[in-house]
Amino acid sequence: MNSSDVNERPFISPGSDVEEPAAIAMGTYGPVLSQSYSGGSRSSSGMIWLLLLWFVLILLVVGLVYVLVECRCRNQNQKLQQDVPETHDVAVAVAEPVVAVEPKHRKIDNLIGFTILYVGSFIGLGLSIFSISTCEFASLASSVTLDADASLADGLSLSIHNLGLLKVDLTSNFSLSGCVNTDNLPFLDTPYNFAKASAIMGAMFGGMGPLVSMYLLMKPGFPTVKARYMLVTIYSLGAVFQLATLSLFGSLYCKSWFMSGSSCSLSIGAVASVSAALYWVLEAIAAACLPFNNA
């Protein structure tokens, strides 16, 4: 090995004062040398929770459709009643029940509408945070083992099993093992870093939604057209950035040419991220379409 190769890959020598785990954290790795099989781990309990949250999502969608259809039918009925000549006695008889029932409809519409807005927002935020914090965003079809140059790092070896946005599941021949920060990974390319940044942006915009809606709700005349545009923009950006986390699957660790046979599959973190994006889309539609009558 010539001196230029050493300069390109800064290793921690066995005689260094830096402790072995710290040396790993500094990215002191050698080239990819070997590979061993490891089945991707999936949390069955986590998938059960995701199924439950998908069921909640379906209920919120049903509630949204109900409010929109009910409001449209009520508006059509009111329009038909207004078309009846005011001098006719029937017009007065028909109009009287409408005035009595209208406040009840408003309360129901507001209850369903704000339930969709806030429950959906907080569930989406929870899913987004979970997708960031888990080390099982993508499962490797076979574990990737990184071996350091024995003459410089005294046999340092890492085996990567699952990829996360901010954490990664790995084992090593030193004390660093389990779900650890991605700073311990070499070869963090642009798709991987973009996925990490997108996850943070998605959670930020999604979390801003309920806070902004609470602020706008205190202002008179809510919902104004400007307020609707603001909420739709915030939730739409949250959905876009949340889906952009899937760019992690374009990183080197998921490329077969980087490691023979290496490939990535969706794990619980990726499913949670997509689910969060669906919640953000629902919130954008709700902010655009729901009546939100002043109560």
Side-chain angles (χ1 to χ4, degrees), residues 18 30 35 53 111 130-131 134-135 140 178 197 202 242 262 278 285 295:
V18 181
Q35 179 180 2
L53 293 179
L111 177 62
F130 174 78
S131 69
T134 184
C135 56
L140 294 173
Q242 200 66 52
S262 177
L278 293 177
I285 296 174

Side-chain angles (χ1 to χ4, degrees), residues 116-290:
I116 294 172
L117 188 64
Y118 291 114
V119 172
S121 295
F122 288 118
I123 291 178
L125 181 59
L127 287 168
S128 180
I129 293 175
F130 174 78
S131 69
I132 296 174
S133 60
T134 184
C135 56
E136 292 185 35
F137 190 90
S139 295
L140 294 173
S142 54
S143 65
V144 174
T145 300
L146 307 174
D147 294 333
D149 191 312
S151 63
L152 295 175
D154 196 20
L156 174 62
S157 176
L158 294 177
S159 293
I160 304 169
H161 309 295
N162 297 288
L163 300 175
L165 291 170
L166 299 183
K167 296 180 180 180
V168 61
D169 178 24
L170 58 81
T171 55
S172 70
N173 56 347
F174 291 127
S175 60
L176 186 66
S177 295
C179 194
V180 300
N181 196 288
T182 53
D183 291 341
N184 298 289
L185 277 182
F187 313 118
L188 287 179
D189 52 0
T190 299
Y192 207 129
N193 289 322
F194 181 71
K196 294 168 63 175
S198 297
I200 297 174
M201 295 296 292
M204 184 187 71
F205 279 109
M208 284 175 56
L211 298 178
V212 173
S213 63
M214 289 179 186
Y215 168 75
L216 295 175
L217 185 60
M218 294 185 293
K219 301 184 69 175
F222 179 84
T224 62
V225 175
K226 183 178 180 181
R228 288 186 184 275
Y229 275 128
M230 185 179 300
L231 289 175
V232 170
T233 301
I234 290 174
Y235 283 119
S236 297
L237 288 174
V240 170
F241 280 114
Q242 200 66 52
L243 289 176
T245 59
L246 299 179
S247 65
L248 181 144
F249 291 92
S251 65
L252 286 174
Y253 290 99
C254 297
K255 300 289 187 181
S256 59
W257 56 264
F258 176 71
M259 171 61 70
S260 178
S262 177
S263 62
C264 296
S265 60
L266 292 175
S267 190
I268 186 171
V271 176
S273 184
V274 174
S275 301
L278 293 177
Y279 270 96
W280 300 146
V281 171
L282 172 65
E283 299 310 299
I285 296 174
C289 301
L290 286 177

